[in-house]
Amino acid sequence: MAPGRLIKKWFKSLLPASGTDSHRASQGDASDLVPAETEARAAASNLATSDAASPVPAQIEATPQATTSSGSVYRLDSKMANEYLKKIKRFRILVMGRANSGKTTILQRVCNSTDKPEIFDGKGNKIKSDIVQGTLTRGCHDIQHELVFGSNPGFVFHDSCGFEAGSTQQFNQMKHFVDDHAMTTRVNERIHAIWFCIPMTDSHRTVTAAEQKFFNECDTGHVPVIVLVTKVDALYLTAIRKLLDGGLKIAEAKERAIEKQGELLEKWCGYVKHELDMCKFPPKGYVSLNKMHEEDADCTHLMECTANVLTEEGLQRLLISTQQSSIEICIKYAVNKTLRHYMMLGLKDRLQVDVKLLEASLLSWFPNCEVN
């Protein structure tokens, strides 16, 4: 059976039995819906529990969960937001950070691909592979270019050059791109999130002048910035060295390395958050990523962190239905954002619930489900 039909069958099991497409909550109906609401809450709870209990590589166990930083929330006018979101077809992300911070590898994992992305210019014209290879070899990227993976064309990425402190030209180009694509009237060219990568291969300089400059001078407006702490597995060797320096023998150092690595990661994540939260335009979220070089690396926390800092539900829906990291995220958002809302309408406000509309709204959180 097709995935969309399986999902529809599951949703119908949650709906109250009715011979019509609408249902008016009466005194008896309200009591019938209470168990369903309880089941929805239990389902969400079970999802959270299953995430925590699911087997993960030992080196990820100490990775802190994604967190969001304080700051003012920008929201579009509801009518404007609805019209704006109807026109958006793909989720667009700007990926930033210094050179060799693992940006391309992360995009491959997000799109479940081992291939290089196809690259298009700002007008949608595909750039020849020999030109692309030449620029990649030199470490050059045009931030205007669109990176699209054939395995998931619903994502469009822009890759900034790995700017370092003192690179005024690169910084100004990036800032101009952010200013233009954050508020452009061409809605399908707007960026929806920014991922800023900080690698642990340079843990001795996690927050440099370049990071300070960006978070103090670049106002991204309503576009949230999420810091990605990358190449976490590099801390494993650092942990071994520190344990050996502490007098342990190599065998014992290896046994305790995972625990030590977690301590180092917690320390550096705390330092990064402390430094950047004091900037004028701090990040909206933080997430650490481990073992991204492995083809089956888990991007679930990255997707959830990004979705959680988006201020418009329509953009959350677009991201969740585009990602391919976890079907559990789709279920979680469908239950928490849509099913509970409709239940509250029936229980508290005694409003009619259109079953067909509810089904379409639920399905819109899932990939490859056509919704009329």
Side-chain angles (χ1 to χ4, degrees), residues 203-267:
S203 58
H204 59 285
R205 59 185 194 104
T206 50
V207 180
T208 66
E211 282 79 32
Q212 295 279 3
K213 183 177 178 67
F214 174 80
F215 288 104
N216 277 311
E217 299 182 20
C218 194
D219 182 4
T220 62
H222 65 279
V223 180
V225 182
I226 301 97
V227 167
L228 278 56
V229 178
T230 64
K231 297 193 173 182
V232 169
D233 24 332
L235 292 176
Y236 182 79
L237 291 179
T238 304
I240 291 284
R241 285 196 298 268
K242 286 187 175 294
L243 291 170
L244 292 176
D245 291 343
L248 296 183
K249 293 183 178 180
I250 186 65
E252 189 176 359
K254 287 182 177 180
E255 289 180 1
R256 297 180 55 184
I258 300 298
E259 179 183 358
K260 186 65 177 179
Q261 180 190 10
E263 293 173 0
L264 291 172
L265 177 59
E266 184 176 0
K267 168 191 169 183

Side-chain angles (χ1 to χ4, degrees), residues 157-198:
F157 302 102
H158 294 269
D159 185 2
S160 72
C161 284
F163 65 88
E164 305 290 341
S167 181
T168 303
Q169 181 180 359
Q170 290 180 355
F171 182 85
N172 289 338
Q173 288 175 347
M174 175 277 301
K175 192 173 186 299
H176 176 74
F177 176 86
V178 172
D179 292 341
D180 181 46
H181 284 71
M183 293 302 294
T184 178
T185 56
R186 304 180 298 277
V187 295
N188 271 314
E189 296 180 13
R190 289 187 185 179
I191 53 175
H192 306 124
I194 298 174
W195 290 345
F196 197 110
C197 300
I198 298 179

Side-chain angles (χ1 to χ4, degrees), residues 56-68:
V56 295
Q59 287 176 255
I60 300 181
E61 291 178 354
T63 302
Q65 297 296 315
T67 59
T68 56

Side-chain angles (χ1 to χ4, degrees), residues 14-16 23 25 28-38 342-343 346-347 353:
L14 299 175
L15 300 174
H23 172 76
D29 294 331
S31 62
D32 290 339
L33 281 172
V34 171
E37 180 191 6
T38 303
Y342 274 88
M343 284 180 171
L347 288 168
V353 176

Side-chain angles (χ1 to χ4, degrees), residues 290-327:
N290 198 6
K291 296 185 178 296
M292 286 293 109
H293 61 281
E294 297 183 358
E295 291 185 19
D296 59 348
D298 186 9
C299 296
T300 302
H301 289 320
L302 175 58
M303 293 295 105
E304 286 192 289
C305 182
T306 304
N308 288 340
V309 298
L310 294 171
T311 58
E312 302 299 330
E313 184 175 313
L315 287 179
Q316 290 179 324
R317 194 186 304 268
L318 178 62
L319 172 63
I320 296 301
S321 63
T322 301
Q323 63 84 32
Q324 300 174 351
S325 300
S326 172
I327 195 69

Side-chain angles (χ1 to χ4, degrees), residues 24-25 35 137 144 188 291 294 321 337 340 342 358 369:
R24 180 177 299 276
T137 301
Q144 299 288 345
N188 271 314
K291 296 185 178 296
E294 297 183 358
S321 63
K337 290 287 187 176
R340 286 182 176 178
Y342 274 88
L358 171 57
C369 289

